[in-house]
Amino acid sequence: MSYTFSVPVWLGGKENSMELLEQRICKDGKIYAGDVLKIDSFLNHQMDVDFLSVLGKEFYRLFADCGVNKILTMEASGIGIACMTAQFFHCPVVYAKKGRSSNMASDVWRSQVHSYTHGSDHDVVVSRQYLGEHDRVLIVDDFLARGSAAMALLNICRQAGATVVGFGVCVEKTYQEGERLLRNAGVRVEALAKIKRMTPDGTIEFDR
Ligand code: 5GP
């Protein structure tokens, strides 16, 4: 499957941003063993800030009326898209830090994550200073697969007494259970590209 792709043209609306991201995934994505899609040439290692800004603007359009005053994401791969989204909400970004123990456990909200790409469990923490009951949080991440990262962030918000207005994710793999877990937990999920199927030979099918 070949696509041509140039500078994104923002026409507004979810259909348009989904199409842009799908085209970019087809152009630059690589499928690795373990059901991992790499799009780190523009999303989460090298970052195409003009393109991420288009995606961030779409998250803003989707959640603009939710009173968001904080964006929460996971270290490290969610930080880029979270910051590019926060510029439209004019609010701070907080990221959950991985694998670092705090001197005082009482200073942090803590949850456990099973890493999809590394296959191991680890704790993530957020300082109590930066998340509390006055916060209306949009959780943002690069991928949604089995939902462990998103559920850990939700768990941290619930410990803090913060309100979660929703979860905005760039790429959801709809054949995995993450979206269902979040929906069952009462969280609104918005994905900018939905992958229905991908195979090691490079075929990617999208859902709308
Ligand atoms: P989950 O916790 O939902 O199973 O997986 C989500 C997390 O694992 C994301 O934060 C992301 O960093 C990583 N992840 C899951 N699937 C993929 C994938 O196909 N490609 C990449 N690059 N990361 C993924």
Side-chain angles (χ1 to χ4, degrees):
M1 204 186 311
S2 81
Y3 283 88
T4 53
F5 187 83
S6 56
V7 175
V9 179
W10 174 249
L11 301 174
K14 193 165 178 189
E15 286 292 301
N16 183 246
S17 62
M18 285 181 99
E19 203 176 311
L20 282 175
L21 184 53
E22 288 170 9
Q23 287 176 355
R24 190 72 187 258
I25 289 168
C26 290
K27 178 176 168 280
D28 292 334
K30 293 189 176 64
I31 299 166
Y32 282 75
D35 202 43
V36 171
L37 172 67
K38 281 246 177 202
I39 44 176
D40 60 2
S41 63
F42 67 92
L43 180 65
N44 51 21
H45 189 174
Q46 173 171 268
M47 285 170 266
D48 178 340
V49 295
D50 290 335
F51 187 75
L52 297 194
S53 191
V54 170
L55 304 185
K57 193 170 185 178
E58 179 57 14
F59 285 136
Y60 176 70
R61 195 188 66 78
L62 290 164
F63 293 101
D65 59 356
C66 297
V68 172
N69 70 346
K70 202 150 283 183
I71 292 183
L72 179 66
T73 191
M74 190 65 84
E75 182 186 35
S77 57
I79 294 174
I81 182 61
C83 290
M84 297 312 290
T85 303
Q87 68 180 319
F88 298 105
F89 286 96
H90 300 286
C91 73
V93 172
V94 176
Y95 63 89
K97 294 189 173 198
K98 290 179 185 170
R100 269 161 238 170
S101 58
S102 165
N103 291 339
M104 286 176 63
S106 59
D107 281 351
V108 293
W109 310 115
R110 183 182 296 272
S111 192
Q112 201 181 56
V113 183
H114 181 79
S115 165
Y116 185 90
T117 44
H118 298 109
S120 54
D121 291 343
H122 58 266
D123 280 3
V124 291
V125 296
V126 169
S127 167
R128 291 187 184 213
Q129 215 182 328
Y130 301 131
L131 193 67
E133 58 192 19
H134 50 280
D135 286 320
R136 292 183 62 79
V137 178
L138 174 62
I139 302 174
V140 168
D141 207 358
D142 57 344
F143 278 88
L144 175 61
R146 299 190 186 116
S148 179
M151 290 302 285
L153 294 172
L154 176 64
N155 181 7
I156 279 175
C157 288
R158 294 202 164 150
Q159 289 173 45
T163 303
V164 174
V165 306
F167 177 67
V169 67
C170 296
V171 183
E172 175 195 341
K173 293 188 269 182
T174 59
Y175 55 92
Q176 294 177 316
E177 64 271 26
E179 194 270 345
R180 184 179 49 79
L181 282 179
L182 286 165
R183 196 165 16 93
N184 289 347
V187 177
R188 171 183 167 196
V189 178
E190 298 284 355
L192 300 185
K194 295 184 178 185
I195 295 179
K196 184 160 73 176
R197 194 173 76 93
M198 61 183 197
T199 57
D201 67 359
T203 306
I204 302 179
E205 258 182 71
F206 293 99
D207 253 341
R208 278 286 171 94

